[in-house]
Amino acid sequence: MKYFIANWKANKTKEEADRWVDTFLTGIQSNSILKNALLEDSLRIILCPPFPLLYPISAKISGYKNIYLGSQDVSVFDKGSLTGEVPADLLKGVIQYVIIGHSERRNLLHETDAMLSKKVEKAKSVGIEPIFCVRGEQDMIPPGVRMVAYEPVWAIGTGKNDSLDEVLTTKQKLQSSPTTVFLYGGSVNEDNAKIYLSSEQIDGLLVGTASLDPDHFLRITTK
Ligand code: PGA
């Protein structure tokens, strides 16, 4: 099984998202290799749009095998009087995955290891699978994490992707369990995706910029 995660970050209006999903689903329908890969569990796509788009997209993709939805964050708090927070309880049933520990949130919003562990705990308590991002071997991986995305900060949104050798070395240094799903992210595009996908040690890709264009993202999934 190879995983392809589209991290839209803080992008796309409702109209743009509708167009994206329509183009994307049409693209899948017209590509028998991709369609079969999804049906046969050899490929899984996880769309991670901003919060306001989760409900409309979940309606559009319902019924499609191996196309899942994820959020880009979850609150450290339980539901209650917390203006602006989105706790795990409210996401339960809408999404199956959540990105936790992205370097943009660690750096800009000062998310600490303690907060990230709490987020993992909250997500797991309602059956949402964390996709835990690490910037390198220095970042600790909280207990219970089954999906790890290695994303070197210098490679994010820069057009400079890490080499396969470096990605595999980092994987080794992270010493995660052999059953952990290991992903790479950082300037992945249709020209370099194959480098990672051809390695049996890499289970998939976390794609930012190139996922904003549905056709480009689809081409990555068929590498
Ligand atoms: P990028 O972003 O593909 O634009 O480098 C990846 C990410 O930040 O998840």
Short mmCIF file of all heavy atoms in Angstrom, two decimals, residues 7 9 102 104 151 155-158 185-188 206-210, ligand 1:
data_model
loop_
_atom_site.label_atom_id
_atom_site.label_comp_id
_atom_site.label_asym_id
_atom_site.label_seq_id
_atom_site.Cartn_x
_atom_site.Cartn_y
_atom_site.Cartn_z
N ASN A 7 -1.72 17.90 1.28
CA ASN A 7 -1.81 18.90 2.34
C ASN A 7 -2.00 20.26 1.70
O ASN A 7 -1.05 20.87 1.22
CB ASN A 7 -0.51 18.86 3.18
CG ASN A 7 -0.49 19.92 4.26
OD1 ASN A 7 -1.51 20.54 4.55
ND2 ASN A 7 0.67 20.15 4.86
N LYS A 9 -2.78 22.95 3.10
CA LYS A 9 -2.44 24.07 4.01
C LYS A 9 -3.59 25.10 4.01
O LYS A 9 -4.74 24.69 3.89
CB LYS A 9 -1.09 24.67 3.61
CG LYS A 9 -0.01 23.58 3.49
CD LYS A 9 1.38 24.09 3.36
CE LYS A 9 2.34 22.91 3.22
NZ LYS A 9 3.74 23.30 3.24
N HIS A 102 3.27 19.34 12.11
CA HIS A 102 3.88 19.96 10.92
C HIS A 102 4.82 21.09 11.35
O HIS A 102 4.50 21.84 12.28
CB HIS A 102 2.79 20.48 9.98
CG HIS A 102 3.33 20.81 8.62
ND1 HIS A 102 4.08 21.94 8.38
CD2 HIS A 102 3.28 20.14 7.45
CE1 HIS A 102 4.45 21.95 7.10
NE2 HIS A 102 3.98 20.87 6.52
N GLU A 104 5.44 23.90 10.16
CA GLU A 104 4.88 25.25 10.12
C GLU A 104 4.17 25.58 11.43
O GLU A 104 4.24 26.70 11.94
CB GLU A 104 3.92 25.39 8.93
CG GLU A 104 4.69 25.49 7.62
CD GLU A 104 3.94 25.01 6.39
OE1 GLU A 104 2.73 24.75 6.47
OE2 GLU A 104 4.59 24.87 5.34
N GLU A 151 9.79 15.37 7.09
CA GLU A 151 9.76 16.56 6.24
C GLU A 151 10.84 17.55 6.68
O GLU A 151 10.63 18.32 7.62
CB GLU A 151 8.40 17.26 6.36
CG GLU A 151 7.23 16.43 5.86
CD GLU A 151 6.07 17.32 5.42
OE1 GLU A 151 5.66 18.19 6.20
OE2 GLU A 151 5.61 17.16 4.29
N ALA A 155 13.34 21.72 2.90
CA ALA A 155 12.79 21.18 1.65
C ALA A 155 11.33 21.58 1.43
O ALA A 155 10.78 21.40 0.34
CB ALA A 155 12.89 19.65 1.66
N ILE A 156 10.69 22.13 2.46
CA ILE A 156 9.26 22.42 2.34
C ILE A 156 9.01 23.69 1.53
O ILE A 156 9.46 24.78 1.91
CB ILE A 156 8.61 22.52 3.75
CG1 ILE A 156 8.67 21.16 4.44
CG2 ILE A 156 7.17 23.01 3.65
CD1 ILE A 156 8.13 21.14 5.85
N GLY A 157 8.33 23.52 0.42
CA GLY A 157 7.94 24.66 -0.41
C GLY A 157 9.10 25.37 -1.09
O GLY A 157 8.94 26.49 -1.57
N THR A 158 10.25 24.75 -1.15
CA THR A 158 11.44 25.42 -1.70
C THR A 158 11.82 24.93 -3.09
O THR A 158 12.65 25.54 -3.76
CB THR A 158 12.66 25.17 -0.79
OG1 THR A 158 12.86 23.75 -0.68
CG2 THR A 158 12.46 25.76 0.59
N GLY A 185 8.02 13.97 2.81
CA GLY A 185 7.41 15.19 2.29
C GLY A 185 8.44 16.29 2.22
O GLY A 185 9.36 16.37 3.05
N GLY A 186 8.28 17.18 1.23
CA GLY A 186 9.22 18.30 1.04
C GLY A 186 9.53 18.44 -0.43
O GLY A 186 10.34 17.70 -0.97
N SER A 187 8.78 19.35 -1.10
CA SER A 187 8.97 19.61 -2.53
C SER A 187 8.82 18.37 -3.40
O SER A 187 9.53 18.22 -4.41
CB SER A 187 10.31 20.30 -2.78
OG SER A 187 10.30 21.60 -2.20
N VAL A 188 7.89 17.51 -3.02
CA VAL A 188 7.58 16.36 -3.88
C VAL A 188 6.80 16.86 -5.09
O VAL A 188 5.90 17.69 -4.96
CB VAL A 188 6.73 15.31 -3.12
CG1 VAL A 188 6.19 14.26 -4.08
CG2 VAL A 188 7.54 14.67 -2.00
N LEU A 206 3.88 12.91 1.34
CA LEU A 206 3.05 14.01 1.84
C LEU A 206 3.34 15.21 0.94
O LEU A 206 4.47 15.71 0.88
CB LEU A 206 3.42 14.29 3.30
CG LEU A 206 2.77 15.44 4.07
CD1 LEU A 206 1.28 15.51 3.86
CD2 LEU A 206 3.05 15.31 5.55
N VAL A 207 2.32 15.62 0.21
CA VAL A 207 2.53 16.60 -0.87
C VAL A 207 1.82 17.91 -0.55
O VAL A 207 0.61 17.91 -0.29
CB VAL A 207 2.00 16.04 -2.21
CG1 VAL A 207 2.40 16.95 -3.37
CG2 VAL A 207 2.48 14.62 -2.45
N GLY A 208 2.55 19.01 -0.55
CA GLY A 208 1.96 20.32 -0.31
C GLY A 208 1.65 21.03 -1.62
O GLY A 208 0.62 20.78 -2.25
N THR A 209 2.57 21.88 -2.06
CA THR A 209 2.36 22.72 -3.24
C THR A 209 1.80 21.95 -4.45
O THR A 209 0.82 22.39 -5.06
CB THR A 209 3.70 23.39 -3.65
OG1 THR A 209 4.29 23.94 -2.47
CG2 THR A 209 3.48 24.48 -4.67
N ALA A 210 2.40 20.82 -4.77
CA ALA A 210 1.98 20.08 -5.98
C ALA A 210 0.60 19.45 -5.82
O ALA A 210 0.01 19.00 -6.81
CB ALA A 210 3.03 19.02 -6.33
P1 PGA B 1 5.63 21.11 -0.19
O1 PGA B 1 4.96 20.95 1.26
O2 PGA B 1 5.25 19.87 -0.96
O3 PGA B 1 5.06 22.36 -0.74
O4 PGA B 1 7.10 21.17 0.03
C1 PGA B 1 4.98 19.74 1.94
C2 PGA B 1 4.42 19.92 3.31
O5 PGA B 1 4.71 20.94 3.96
O6 PGA B 1 3.65 19.07 3.80
#
